[in-house]
Amino acid sequence: MRLTEQQLNLFEDDGFVFFPNCFAEDEVALLRIEADVILNTERQEVWREKSGAPRTAFAAHTFNEAFRLLAHHPRLVEPLRQLFGEDVYVHQYKINAKAAFEGDVWQWHQDYGTWARDDGMPAPRAMNIAVFLDEVMPINGPLMLIPKSHKHGTLAAGHDKSTTSYPLWTLDQATVTRLAAEGGIVAPTGKPGSVLMFHGNLVHASPPNITPYPRKIVYLTLCAVSNHITKFNRPDWIAHRDFTPIAPVDDDALLVYAQSHRVAAE
Amino acid sequence: MRLTEQQLNLFEDDGFVFFPNCFAEDEVALLRIEADVILNTERQEVWREKSGAPRTAFAAHTFNEAFRLLAHHPRLVEPLRQLFGEDVYVHQYKINAKAAFEGDVWQWHQDYGTWARDDGMPAPRAMNIAVFLDEVMPINGPLMLIPKSHKHGTLAAGHDKSTTSYPLWTLDQATVTRLAAEGGIVAPTGKPGSVLMFHGNLVHASPPNITPYPRKIVYLTLCAVSNHITKFNRPDWIAHRDFTPIAPVDDDALLVYAQSHRVAAE
């Protein structure tokens, strides 16, 4: 999958590109089931909300075949190779649960702010690719983005270690207000299988989920190989240290696996 | 303003009726300004979030002329007289701030659950009328309703005194999940001046507001005079004890006041 001229311009102007229904339900259904199993497992890679509900699961591509295939999927990897003009590796891999009733806030932040400060990533030549596993609705804690905010570089941030169970470099209210006055706020919504790519410096957040509808999103963070991290403060299952270029699988690899897996399970 | 046959049927079926742009911007602009002044005042009627931001201001119709006119406005009072077939009085009057960045959750609840348990209101012959003072958007903590949930009577509830600064009889997750599976969840959005009337037993909630956009709503609770409360556990500026029937003002009373007030202020 290559980005069109129009998509490249959108990304340049607004800092994100949204692809509704990038993956078919046949490809996503298995991931959704496996994500629930992983999120309910007790292991160091699974972090919980203060309430005890699952918040995020790291590194599922290292211990789950379906998520390994997703991390190597050409629909995610190739646009990033195109954008960065070189090979990419997996810097981080998260399944964010935003559980029904319990999913807590992610405060306003830039991802590259964390990658730079905590991991010593030289430049914002890394990007998040969000894959919706559940339907993302306006009411179940959607991701909110501030278009054009990526043009402001890496903004001053404070290290919030108390609001949620996950420490995050967050922006202050005056900064968010100023950026939203310029770019507005959008909350892309869509069916499972929709994909959102956004710049490492794009300011984003998500509100708590108070509905009965879970809102799982996989965040695959791919980094240009030449831009690999230089500090190893965080565990290697949070900020990976294997800088091997991703060799994409076939475009139908996930579909084939999902079909065979489902048949096997029946 | 009288409800049409169609609106009466909608209310019967779904438990709410929404009136976009019921008040003009000329009528609402003054209320918005005065609400901000009231919410930033230190007085017993103004309750704050745990963060210190304003959460709700009670009884503004007893000390502010613009809000007094709103409480007597025929566009709000007459539909309720029509529905209840008798005169109504003001049981409660709130300005809910849902402040930018700070506005906290209102958990899933039924209003009549509180009026019955705390105030000894005999029957659900009272109703909330929400008047939007700011634009209510999907992203700034809109009111969420579960259509048809009013048909289940008064549901079992627990008294939540810890989640927010305001004690509330809230429903458990299993109940909300069951009701939402039947009726779905809707979040009416619209411009300032839009009005939402909903049944005292309609289950509703609102998520925190993490955006820079405030979302002030006035909740006028009108009760049939013959159905007045019988227990006086709460202060009279929260659950009023003056059961005098409301005599509506003229339809243009708020507009005339707003215009004269604005002229005077310039």
Side-chain angles (χ1 to χ4, degrees), chain A residues 83-219:
Chain A
L83 268 172
F84 294 137
E86 63 171 298
D87 278 331
V88 293
Y89 76 94
V90 179
H91 169 60
Q92 191 171 76
Y93 197 101
K94 291 197 298 281
I95 305 168
N96 279 4
K98 193 67 79 172
F101 294 112
E102 307 282 355
D104 208 350
V105 65
W106 288 80
Q107 303 282 10
W108 294 101
H109 68 285
Q110 298 171 302
D111 288 322
Y112 179 65
T114 297
W115 305 333
R117 292 178 183 99
D118 290 355
D119 306 326
M121 187 186 286
R125 290 173 52 77
M127 213 158 87
N128 265 338
I129 311 174
V131 182
F132 297 2
L133 298 191
D134 295 307
E135 179 167 354
V136 176
M137 299 179 263
I139 60 171
N140 67 346
L143 189 66
M144 297 181 185
L145 313 171
I146 301 184
K148 306 185 190 307
S149 56
H150 63 303
K151 297 184 176 175
H152 293 267
T154 307
L155 299 153
H159 207 189
D160 177 2
K161 298 179 181 178
S162 63
T163 305
T164 70
S165 63
Y166 188 77
L168 198 64
W169 291 92
T170 60
L171 305 178
D172 65 26
Q173 297 181 358
T175 302
V176 173
T177 302
R178 179 169 53 82
L179 296 171
E182 182 187 320
I185 296 177
V186 297
T189 55
K191 293 286 176 196
S194 298
V195 166
L196 181 69
M197 300 185 175
F198 57 99
H199 193 284
N201 275 332
L202 195 74
V203 174
H204 60 286
S206 68
N209 180 10
I210 68 167
T211 76
Y213 312 123
R215 191 237 61 178
K216 289 184 289 297
I217 294 181
V218 178
Y219 289 92

Side-chain angles (χ1 to χ4, degrees), chain B:
Chain B
M1 189 170 92
R2 283 187 68 81
L3 300 173
T4 64
E5 195 68 30
Q6 189 192 14
Q7 287 166 334
L8 288 168
N9 289 339
L10 264 177
F11 179 75
E12 171 77 18
D13 288 347
D14 288 341
F16 68 96
V17 190
F18 185 54
F19 308 87
N21 307 309
C22 184
F23 289 91
E25 176 61 15
D26 279 353
E27 295 175 300
V28 175
L30 177 67
L31 292 168
R32 186 162 53 241
I33 295 165
E34 305 247 322
D36 280 332
V37 172
I38 292 168
L39 288 164
N40 286 302
T41 306
E42 289 296 334
R43 52 185 303 161
Q44 66 178 358
E45 290 91 345
V46 179
W47 288 38
R48 301 195 172 277
E49 306 282 11
K50 290 177 176 179
S51 72
R55 180 173 177 84
T56 190
F58 288 96
H61 64 304
T62 64
F63 57 82
N64 178 284
E65 176 61 11
F67 284 104
R68 187 189 72 79
L69 291 171
L70 187 69
H72 291 74
H73 206 286
R75 276 172 244 163
L76 307 180
V77 174
E78 282 175 1
L80 282 253
R81 293 210 292 199
Q82 179 189 354
L83 269 170
F84 295 138
E86 62 171 299
D87 278 330
V88 293
Y89 76 95
V90 179
H91 170 60
Q92 192 172 74
Y93 197 100
K94 292 197 297 283
I95 305 168
N96 278 6
K98 193 68 79 172
F101 295 112
E102 306 282 356
D104 208 351
V105 65
W106 288 80
Q107 303 283 11
W108 294 101
H109 67 286
Q110 298 172 302
D111 288 323
Y112 179 65
T114 297
W115 305 333
R117 292 178 183 98
D118 290 354
D119 305 328
M121 186 185 287
R125 290 173 52 76
M127 213 158 87
N128 265 338
I129 312 174
V131 182
F132 296 2
L133 298 191
D134 295 306
E135 180 168 355
V136 177
M137 299 179 263
I139 60 171
N140 66 346
L143 190 66
M144 298 182 185
L145 313 170
I146 302 185
K148 306 186 191 305
S149 55
H150 64 302
K151 296 184 176 175
H152 293 267
T154 306
L155 299 154
H159 208 188
D160 177 2
K161 299 179 180 180
S162 63
T163 306
T164 69
S165 63
Y166 188 77
L168 198 64
W169 291 92
T170 60
L171 305 179
D172 64 26
Q173 296 181 358
T175 303
V176 174
T177 302
R178 180 169 53 83
L179 296 171
E182 181 186 320
I185 297 177
V186 298
T189 55
K191 293 288 177 194
S194 298
V195 165
L196 181 70
M197 300 185 176
F198 57 99
H199 193 284
N201 275 331
L202 196 74
V203 174
H204 60 286
S206 67
N209 180 10
I210 68 167
T211 76
Y213 311 124
R215 190 238 62 178
K216 289 184 289 296
I217 294 181
V218 178
Y219 289 93
L220 172 60
T221 309
L222 299 182
C223 183
V225 167
S226 69
N227 189 52
H228 67 75
I229 65 172
T230 61
K231 294 197 289 191
F232 305 123
N233 296 320
R234 303 198 289 177
D236 62 0
W237 43 269
I238 293 184
H240 295 288
R241 298 169 201 172
D242 178 354
F243 311 135
T244 310
I246 299 172
V249 294
D250 289 341
D251 192 79
D252 66 351
L254 187 59
L255 183 63
V256 168
Y257 179 77
Q259 287 170 338
S260 65
H261 189 92
R262 199 168 54 219
V263 169
E266 277 167 0

Side-chain angles (χ1 to χ4, degrees), chain A residues 184-256:
Chain A
I185 296 177
V186 297
T189 55
K191 293 286 176 196
S194 298
V195 166
L196 181 69
M197 300 185 175
F198 57 99
H199 193 284
N201 275 332
L202 195 74
V203 174
H204 60 286
S206 68
N209 180 10
I210 68 167
T211 76
Y213 312 123
R215 191 237 61 178
K216 289 184 289 297
I217 294 181
V218 178
Y219 289 92
L220 172 61
T221 308
L222 300 181
C223 183
V225 167
S226 70
N227 189 52
H228 68 75
I229 66 172
T230 60
K231 292 198 290 191
F232 306 123
N233 296 319
R234 302 197 290 175
D236 62 0
W237 44 269
I238 293 183
H240 295 288
R241 297 169 201 172
D242 177 355
F243 311 135
T244 310
I246 299 172
V249 296
D250 289 341
D251 192 79
D252 66 352
L254 187 59
L255 184 62
V256 168

